[in-house]
Amino acid sequence: MARKIGSRYTANQILGRGSAGTVWLGEGPEGPVAIKLLREDLASDQELVGRFVQERTALLGLEHPNVVSVRDLVVDGNDLALVMHLVRGTDLRTRLDRDRRLAPEAAVAIVADIADGLAAAHAAGVVHRDVKPENVLLDMQGPLGPGGSHPALLTDFGVAKLIDSPRRTRATKIIGTPDYLAPEIVEGLPPRAAVDIYALATVLYELLAGFTPFGGGHPGAVLRRHVTESVAPLPGIPDELWQLIVQCLAKAPASRLRASELGARLRELLPMLAGMPPLDVDEPDSEPTQEEAPVAQEAAPAGERVRRRGAVPLVPGAKPADSNRDTHTSMRVPAPDELAGGARGTARVPRAAGAPRPGSARHRAATRRRRVALGAAAVALVAAAGVGTWLATSGDDADATPQDTNNSAPAAP
Ligand SMILES: Nc1ncnc2c1ncn2[C@@H]1O[C@H](COP(=O)(O)OP(=O)(O)OP(=O)(O)O)[C@@H](O)[C@H]1O
């Protein structure tokens, strides 16, 4: 049913739901728009409304062909809404659900587009903080690009920042989507531009493999892998492409490429990837063996113990019913020793078709050797980060570094 949003817009039909609210197909004075209507409990939060108004200039100023532009912010009675450019197409998660994995040329073209969009945002001092396939929209009305891909646009800029407040984000919660969270966020460091590069490299890996490099199982186990595990090679991937992924998944933010460089380097690879079929990769087992059961398991309700893509809500307190996707659950933050992994890591190693299955004696022995080395490195890493700083987005952190809890960040990683 149609409803008025402020004095200028009408919301006509639901396009989709996320943890922060509902996206509507709407109409404004200049034609069709997408309207993200934030959840009622968010809209009634005075602190959030204040941020919303404060962020107006930054959000409205971001204009780039690969960014879904915010046209207006509406605060009207109980309604809090972002009016956005309407993208006629689909989101990348839907495409991935349909195709399972993409041909390298198409995957790289899409990710290069998003890298270009991020470069513009980072240059303007804006960090996205929630790069994932759900937030990449494919414009089906745009021209076909390399590999038959449509132009890709990044949406939801500023939403993570708007809803991330000291009061809302308690010290025991992390916001974001675990599969795409950079290790420095898990350790409680402020989100800078490099977190978006890590998330985007995770998306690229997922487009090529059909699964994320550190996903699977309980969200606590996923967070731990980001800190402790190294990314397992994808069979058949061209080396130049693999090196880019590895560099952008580096644990140290400073080692990752900047968005502009990533976009340029990916585009250089396009001719070489033309006509290459999707990689022939078997998905690793996502159910941990008993020996590998995640240590934070007791924190989750039974129904949420094993998920292919574990996730915590962008908005703490969101229930699965808030979304039409299986990306929302609640979790406690694992303790630093749990993040260190030790002998109970949960590495998921992709296999070339026909290679030995994870869980075999030979595979377990090799995995254990790798974990001992990585576990030792992670202990040092977590210790260096400081026990007191690893609670992501805690109120104390926000108070101590106000500029960093904003999305505003220098373009440099
Ligand atoms: N500008 C837009 N134009 C067209 N469709 C859109 C636009 N923005 C969002 N959508 C649609 O609405 C859906 C929900 O978007 P939303 O940003 O609320 O949730 P999400 O990103 O899937 O999840 P979450 O916000 O919980 O991380 C998207 O998957 C997409 O299909």
Side-chain angles (χ1 to χ4, degrees):
M1 199 181 84
R3 56 177 291 187
K4 286 297 260 185
I5 308 285
S7 57
R8 289 153 49 88
Y9 302 97
T10 312
N12 292 317
Q13 185 191 325
I14 292 179
L15 288 174
R17 293 181 207 274
S19 58
T22 306
V23 178
W24 291 73
L25 171 63
E27 193 69 29
E30 283 149 32
V33 286
I35 302 173
K36 181 162 194 157
L37 195 59
L38 297 193
R39 272 173 29 196
E40 257 177 49
D41 61 307
L42 297 173
S44 59
D45 181 332
Q46 286 314 307
E47 187 187 315
L48 188 135
V49 175
R51 274 167 189 261
F52 208 76
V53 175
Q54 247 175 33
E55 284 310 306
R56 205 185 158 81
T57 316
L59 289 179
L60 294 178
L62 207 51
E63 289 279 346
H64 187 275
N66 300 112
V67 170
V68 176
S69 57
V70 178
R71 300 249 183 95
D72 205 352
L73 301 177
V74 179
V75 183
D76 178 37
N78 288 339
D79 287 341
L80 206 52
L82 285 116
V83 180
M84 300 176 282
H85 166 73
L86 175 69
V87 179
R88 296 192 188 271
T90 186
D91 62 82
L92 189 54
R93 170 62 60 207
T94 304
R95 170 86 191 272
L96 206 47
D97 285 347
R98 191 193 71 192
D99 294 349
R100 195 156 166 237
R101 60 180 78 92
L102 272 53
E105 188 186 14
V108 165
I110 289 169
V111 171
D113 277 357
I114 300 304
D116 290 350
L118 280 176
H122 293 171
V126 177
V127 179
H128 188 285
R129 290 175 53 175
D130 199 25
V131 174
K132 58 183 178 179
E134 286 81 353
N135 285 336
V136 173
L137 302 182
L138 302 174
D139 179 3
M140 300 304 196
Q141 292 192 326
L144 277 183
S149 63
H150 291 279
L153 294 87
L154 190 56
T155 187
D156 254 3
F157 264 102
V159 174
K161 176 181 179 181
L162 284 175
I163 62 174
D164 180 11
S165 77
R167 198 153 48 81
R168 186 173 301 287
T169 318
R170 296 197 306 274
T172 51
K173 299 277 185 183
I174 288 178
I175 64 162
T177 307
D179 285 30
Y180 309 91
L181 276 179
E184 63 268 28
I185 298 181
V186 180
E187 290 164 349
L189 297 176
R192 298 191 186 280
V195 306
D196 289 341
I197 301 301
Y198 185 92
L200 186 57
T202 301
V203 171
L204 177 54
Y205 184 107
E206 185 177 13
L207 295 181
L208 295 167
F211 50 89
T212 55
F214 300 116
H218 189 277
V222 178
L223 298 186
R224 184 176 54 206
R225 288 186 207 116
H226 285 298
V227 178
T228 62
E229 306 281 353
S230 60
V231 59
L234 285 175
I237 189 172
D239 194 51
E240 295 88 334
L241 181 54
W242 180 241
Q243 291 312 324
L244 279 187
I245 292 176
V246 169
Q247 190 171 357
C248 293
L249 286 178
K251 306 295 182 203
S255 301
R256 295 173 208 145
L257 294 174
R258 287 176 183 229
S260 54
E261 196 180 351
L262 176 59
R265 299 267 297 271
L266 287 171
R267 287 189 198 289
E268 280 169 21
L269 296 182
L270 284 171
M272 182 189 87
L273 301 172
M276 189 176 169
L279 299 181
D280 190 11
V281 183
D282 270 2
E283 181 162 356
D285 297 337
S286 58
E287 295 244 355
T289 62
Q290 214 173 9
E291 180 204 33
E292 294 174 336
V295 289
Q297 193 90 314
E298 70 279 3
E304 295 176 2
R305 286 196 180 168
V306 178
R307 284 168 185 263
R308 194 174 153 265
R309 281 187 310 118
V312 289
L314 183 61
V315 180
K319 305 250 178 347
D322 288 327
S323 172
N324 52 2
R325 300 196 188 280
D326 184 24
T327 58
H328 304 94
T329 185
S330 185
M331 62 169 294
R332 74 176 169 84
V333 177
D337 59 331
E338 293 171 342
L339 285 173
R344 303 225 284 174
T346 52
R348 301 161 78 243
V349 181
R351 296 176 297 130
R357 286 195 77 78
S360 67
R362 189 159 60 88
H363 178 267
R364 277 207 305 269
T367 306
R368 243 182 255 120
R369 277 197 300 278
R370 193 162 63 95
R371 283 182 193 142
V372 168
L374 286 167
V379 168
L381 193 67
V382 172
V387 172
T389 61
W390 68 277
L391 292 172
T393 62
S394 77
D396 288 349
D397 284 350
D399 289 337
T401 54
Q403 77 278 24
D404 288 327
T405 55
N406 293 337
N407 273 356
S408 304

